[in-house]
Amino acid sequence: MKTVLVTLPVNDTHKAILEKAGAGCAISYLDPKELTKELVASADVIIGPVDPALICASEKLGLLQLFSAGADPYIVPGVLSDKTWLANATGAYGKAVSEHALALTLMMLKKLHLYRDEQRQNAWRDRGTVRSLTDCCVVVVGLGNIGLSYARLVKALGAKKVIGVKRRAGDCPEGVDELCLTSEIERVLPEADVLVSFLPGNRETFHYYTAERFALMKRDALFVNCGRGAAVAKEVLLDVLQNGVIGCAACDVTELEPLPGDSPLWQLENLMITPHVAGYLHLPEILVRIVDIAAENLARFLSGEEPLTLVDRKTGYKR
Amino acid sequence: MKTVLVTLPVNDTHKAILEKAGAGCAISYLDPKELTKELVASADVIIGPVDPALICASEKLGLLQLFSAGADPYIVPGVLSDKTWLANATGAYGKAVSEHALALTLMMLKKLHLYRDEQRQNAWRDRGTVRSLTDCCVVVVGLGNIGLSYARLVKALGAKKVIGVKRRAGDCPEGVDELCLTSEIERVLPEADVLVSFLPGNRETFHYYTAERFALMKRDALFVNCGRGAAVAKEVLLDVLQNGVIGCAACDVTELEPLPGDSPLWQLENLMITPHVAGYLHLPEILVRIVDIAAENLARFLSGEEPLTLVDRKTGYKR
């Protein structure tokens, strides 16, 4: 009998879905904080968050089903045995993260972050002209489930042009007007009014947004980061915002998380920060989708098939 | 020769459009602050803002072309002669105001106003679950150019249901799922997750959103006001937000404007205030549209035709 540990905050409906997929397994539900090295070592399958330090490359672990799209802490050598299939939750976050990114985009275009600051000083003060998405070229970096969903939202609102930036060449998807390779982003940066990043965290994307790249942008361009914070060095972000290299930025992720209390980024007027909350389990349907993905992958594991959302350990992306 | 005074901040392109429409007229461009009773008394046509107190029911004034959609200060008895055609700029603000209202809506749904407050305290603090427009019934009150434009935006983003509320029965326009009369709003209030007001200021809409009406709503409902502030009494707004009758609100307009510095509304956590900036001339294309409307109405006036956007002095709406 296979041992399955579930560390997601599931309800009875979710449990029924998992128990149907894992019929015949011993399924336990725990808080991630209750996990120990011994418990982890006993598991054939873990579904949900687990501290990487507890895994110790356990050879028994056949499937680790993450609840996130990003797999960065688990692809570090030594964390997982070669025998473990690592599956992510790609597809669960498209709606939540793309909507959060859209809300941040409109907030910046309409200067709502500045108006909130004025409000806190009881000040009825006009901050001047704003911008419409219909006048904006939006460059979306990372065209997975989340990026594509965002592209379609801004297109539906009438964005003037949407350029998608991805690793590999391919057909231009619906909602995107033009494609560009991540290795050639210099070509489209001068055109961007809004640059939105959904890049995951890995070696390729580390410090991808360099000072040189920001310098190619319009002085009033807006940068939104809802991918991973390490895509831009904290010093570079501070510099481009303090020195007007770009107009403003909104970041749900930062290079260090939580962002330290003494970071000078906090008090920048032209930076909006949210504490990595775009996804997580902040929309109820995210958990529903994760449970569906996990149930499918558990069933496949039990019949010896690879999970649908198997992560390539070299890249951190779905294979 | 007819005398035309233009008090809009026009550029050369705008002037060329007005001068083509008003060929043969003596057209002067002034700052509204330069206007005097004498100048106003000499005018056949005024295009742009003018202090109502300067007009003194001048019988010479044939056309007053406002730069706003709202005409409230000019329909007060005694301001205009019966001989003056009053035209508004209906149609110029659809995009700007609807986008501002959408930005405020998403800001509330994603709690970005709370995250801005946390940021100002250098605090990386998770504020819990958020909502998606796709789970929301959106009730749009006022289905003119602006309200209809907003309805289409939220529909394009996948809003679960859009109910339009208007004065008169009619066909259900594209982007709206269901219609309701303003006199019967009680019927749809219990269903609203988001209630958005674009009501103009007039006798009918004065204090339209009563405590009784808010009490019919869901405890977590969101209210957005981008119409006129007098549609809700300041005490009612304060009470429903302080006592959790509804969840939160975002107002671009307030009953008194500017909102007095000592108003308790400023420091409510669950109220977002912007200082009547959704429209004005904050998107460059607003002025282009106003100039187009003014040119058309000027040409019609010179050939003895009613303006396209003639205001009914009884209601304050376009006739």
Side-chain angles (χ1 to χ4, degrees), chain A:
Chain A
M1 189 188 276
K2 302 285 188 189
T3 300
V4 179
L5 305 182
V6 178
T7 59
L8 296 171
V10 285
N11 64 24
D12 289 346
T13 311
H14 305 140
K15 286 180 184 176
I17 294 168
L18 291 171
E19 284 162 18
K20 191 174 168 204
C25 297
I27 304 186
S28 313
Y29 302 94
L30 309 94
D31 187 284
K33 287 180 203 129
E34 297 176 88
L35 287 179
T36 59
K37 282 188 187 178
E38 292 66 36
L39 275 167
V40 170
S42 75
D44 296 285
V45 176
I46 299 176
I47 296 174
V50 46
D51 180 347
L54 296 178
I55 303 175
C56 309
S58 162
E59 298 216 344
K60 190 168 191 228
L61 188 63
L63 171 65
L64 172 58
Q65 171 65 58
L66 304 177
F67 80 121
S68 57
D72 11 334
Y74 301 95
I75 59 173
V76 175
V79 171
L80 292 182
S81 152
D82 288 343
K83 296 180 181 159
T84 304
W85 276 335
L86 176 64
N88 69 12
T90 288
Y93 294 93
K95 184 192 284 185
V97 178
S98 63
E99 282 185 354
H100 190 86
L102 178 66
L104 289 173
T105 304
L106 292 177
M107 183 183 197
M108 297 282 116
L109 288 175
K110 302 304 181 187
K111 298 184 174 170
L112 300 184
H113 57 302
L114 303 182
Y115 285 118
R116 186 63 171 182
D117 292 348
E118 297 288 2
Q119 180 182 346
R120 284 286 159 259
Q121 301 187 43
N122 293 25
W124 184 270
R125 194 176 293 131
D126 189 326
R127 301 296 298 244
T129 56
V130 297
R131 284 187 284 171
S132 166
L133 254 187
T134 61
D135 297 321
C136 289
C137 170
V138 183
V139 173
V140 183
V141 188
L143 269 197
N145 175 253
I146 299 171
L148 213 46
S149 172
Y150 177 86
R152 286 173 182 155
L153 292 177
V154 292
K155 197 71 192 171
L157 295 180
K160 193 175 69 178
K161 185 174 183 184
V162 178
I163 301 177
V165 181
K166 61 196 289 271
R167 283 175 301 151
R168 299 202 201 90
D171 291 337
C172 195
E174 187 211 327
V176 177
D177 297 308
E178 183 185 319
L179 279 185
C180 171
L181 292 174
T182 38
S183 55
E184 298 173 354
I185 196 171
E186 283 77 5
R187 178 169 68 76
V188 297
L189 286 174
E191 210 180 330
D193 297 295
V194 180
L195 174 67
V196 190
S197 182
F198 299 107
L199 288 177
N202 59 42
R203 260 171 295 175
E204 278 176 71
T205 62
F206 183 75
H207 290 185
Y208 176 78
Y209 301 99
T210 58
E212 292 71 27
R213 284 180 167 159
F214 282 118
L216 294 172
M217 299 182 70
K218 296 179 184 175
R219 291 293 83 81
D220 63 353
L222 151 61
F223 175 61
V224 177
N225 192 358
C226 285
R228 284 294 179 269
V232 50
K234 55 190 187 307
E235 299 78 11
V236 170
L237 186 62
L238 184 68
D239 179 68
V240 299
L241 291 170
Q242 271 186 330
N243 295 312
V245 177
I246 61 170
C248 61
C251 295
D252 185 52
V253 289
T254 53
E255 192 174 18
L256 290 175
E257 291 184 7
L259 184 64
D262 61 356
S263 168
L265 291 170
W266 284 116
Q267 295 301 322
L268 289 181
E269 187 185 67
N270 58 346
L271 173 65
M272 171 71 196
I273 296 170
T274 59
H276 204 146
V277 291
Y280 193 54
L281 300 175
H282 285 58
L283 276 185
E285 70 175 71
I286 296 174
L287 186 53
V288 174
R289 294 200 191 188
I290 293 170
V291 167
D292 286 341
I293 293 169
E296 172 69 24
N297 286 342
L298 174 59
R300 293 171 74 97
F301 168 74
L302 295 173
S303 64
E305 279 179 87
E306 274 190 2
L308 278 180
T309 57
L310 186 67
V311 172
D312 181 336
R313 302 249 200 117
K314 285 205 195 83
T315 65
Y317 293 95
K318 195 178 82 162
R319 201 177 274 176

Side-chain angles (χ1 to χ4, degrees), chain B residues 95 140 150 168 205 216 221 248 315:
Chain B
K95 183 192 285 186
V140 183
Y150 177 86
R168 299 201 202 91
T205 63
L216 294 171
C248 58
T315 64

